[in-house]
Amino acid sequence: MVSKTSSSLFSMGIFAVMCSSVFGEMSCRLDAQQGIGALGRIEPYSRVIKVSHNAGPEGTRVERLFFQETNSAKAGEKLAILSEHVKRKAEVEAAKMRIKVFEAQRDLEQIRLAFNKREHVRHQSLELSSAVSISLADAKQLAFEQSAANLKRLSAEITRAQSELNVAQAELENTLIYAPITGTIMKIFTRPGERIGDNGLLEMADLSQLDVVAEVYESELLQVKIGQQGCITATGFKRSYSARVRELGFQVRKNDLNDTDPLADRDNRIIEVRLTLEPEAAADLRHQIFRQVKVRITP
């Protein structure tokens, strides 16, 4: 009995050690005495994509919207139909009909050309034997030449109508808005019946993986390298999250994020450094996009 109890306690001890080891790997320590500190914001790995229209500066109205906020959409799925869709679709059908009319006329003219050619050749041979008048032979030659000219004209009309159809189809396509990526609809700016403004139609992002954009002081950038480990935390977080430096920005500018410390410098010159968060952070932080966090990068 004692042996079984000891064995059970030993197993529980091993399990506890394993759990603490896993938790240690998942969490990180935000040591204020080591590394490079910065403020940052949570962003999707894919960035936030602003989806808009291609209707020019005059804009257009939304006729129908197929998704709502928080819905998921796959790349290439139809997001919305614009108000010009019905008109553009009618123009496409009209262009197709013109092509069919010209093609029917061309087919008829080809038959007429073949007949006029035979008549022209036959009357040429009869003219040589003086069996027909020169004027009649000339008339048959003129009819043959007119048929050939009409056939060329109709071929040109078909080519032009095909070009007009291509333009109409392109304009019809511009009345449809498709998802550029697979992701989540985060914010809708324009509802059916409203005109799309400067904000565009909606914003979407792939929230399956998240980043943190840290604003690192320009004087400390030389200490930051791609692949370095980072630690992320903020008030209200259940725990801290580990991250890894993936991109170093190229532009030096003023900081967007300000510390709550009233003595903090509000006009620092910073460079954005993008860190990729551990996969577990996506489930916890996907509803906190653009939230301000504290970042500590370990050189």
Side-chain angles (χ1 to χ4, degrees):
M1 181 70 179
V2 175
S3 177
K4 290 183 178 180
T5 303
S6 300
S7 175
S8 177
L9 292 173
F10 179 78
S11 299
M12 291 175 64
I14 293 295
F15 180 75
V17 170
M18 291 175 63
C19 287
S20 63
S21 175
V22 171
F23 183 81
E25 291 177 358
M26 292 176 64
S27 300
C28 60
R29 294 181 179 179
L30 195 68
D31 190 349
Q33 304 300 321
Q34 294 183 355
I36 300 166
L39 293 177
R41 63 182 181 275
I42 301 172
E43 284 192 9
Y45 183 94
S46 67
R47 272 74 163 180
V48 174
I49 308 299
K50 181 176 289 188
V51 181
S52 191
H53 61 88
N54 191 27
E58 67 277 6
T60 184
R61 288 185 301 104
V62 176
E63 183 71 25
R64 186 178 177 188
L65 199 60
F66 294 98
F67 290 86
Q68 298 300 322
E69 291 176 359
T70 73
N71 288 165
S72 296
K74 294 182 179 179
E77 275 194 290
K78 192 184 299 180
L79 296 177
I81 294 178
L82 303 180
S83 59
E84 294 291 311
H85 181 75
V86 174
K87 178 182 177 182
R88 300 305 181 192
K89 188 174 182 180
E91 291 175 351
V92 168
E93 295 303 320
K96 289 180 178 179
M97 185 58 65
R98 283 196 298 273
I99 291 176
K100 289 182 178 180
V101 170
F102 286 136
E103 286 177 341
Q105 291 177 351
R106 181 189 60 185
D107 294 342
L108 183 60
E109 195 62 45
Q110 284 177 334
I111 295 173
R112 186 178 291 114
L113 175 66
F115 172 77
N116 289 333
K117 183 178 181 180
R118 289 195 300 270
E119 286 293 292
H120 169 56
V121 171
R122 185 169 68 88
H123 281 77
Q124 271 189 326
S125 61
L126 292 175
E127 182 185 9
L128 295 175
S129 61
S130 300
V132 295
S133 64
I134 296 177
S135 60
L136 182 58
D138 290 343
K140 296 297 182 181
Q141 180 179 357
L142 179 61
F144 167 67
E145 292 174 351
Q146 285 179 338
S147 291
N150 287 338
L151 190 60
K152 289 182 179 180
R153 178 183 59 80
L154 289 170
S155 296
E157 292 285 0
I158 292 173
T159 300
R160 186 178 69 174
Q162 186 63 55
S163 299
E164 292 174 351
L165 174 61
N166 294 338
V167 172
Q169 287 176 330
E171 291 179 347
L172 175 63
E173 193 68 16
N174 286 338
T175 64
L176 303 173
I177 299 181
Y178 299 94
I181 62 170
T182 297
T184 301
I185 308 300
M186 297 177 60
K187 181 67 177 177
I188 295 175
F189 296 107
T190 311
R191 301 285 177 175
E194 297 178 337
R195 187 172 294 276
I196 299 177
D198 294 337
N199 287 330
L201 174 67
L202 56 81
E203 287 181 343
M204 66 181 301
D206 181 0
L207 302 178
S208 61
Q209 189 171 3
L210 300 181
D211 281 353
V212 165
V213 180
E215 296 186 346
V216 176
Y217 296 150
E218 59 182 349
S219 59
E220 297 178 326
L221 182 66
L222 294 178
Q223 303 177 52
V224 181
K225 307 294 181 184
I226 292 177
Q228 288 177 338
Q229 192 73 18
C231 191
I232 315 299
T233 191
T235 304
F237 276 14
K238 297 178 181 178
R239 64 179 181 88
S240 55
Y241 297 91
S242 62
R244 191 169 296 277
V245 177
R246 190 181 85 246
E247 293 179 9
L248 303 180
F250 293 94
Q251 295 180 332
V252 178
R253 55 183 182 79
K254 293 182 180 180
N255 55 320
D256 290 331
L257 303 174
N258 290 317
D259 202 331
T260 55
D261 184 357
L263 299 178
D265 189 353
R266 307 291 184 182
D267 194 26
N268 285 311
R269 305 292 292 178
I270 58 90
I271 296 177
E272 290 186 343
V273 175
R274 187 171 287 268
L275 300 90
T276 299
L277 280 163
E278 59 180 287
E280 289 80 3
D284 296 341
L285 307 179
R286 67 195 308 267
H287 293 286
Q288 303 187 50
I289 302 302
F290 298 136
R291 177 174 178 175
Q292 182 173 314
V293 296
K294 293 181 180 179
V295 184
R296 177 68 57 175
I297 301 173
T298 305

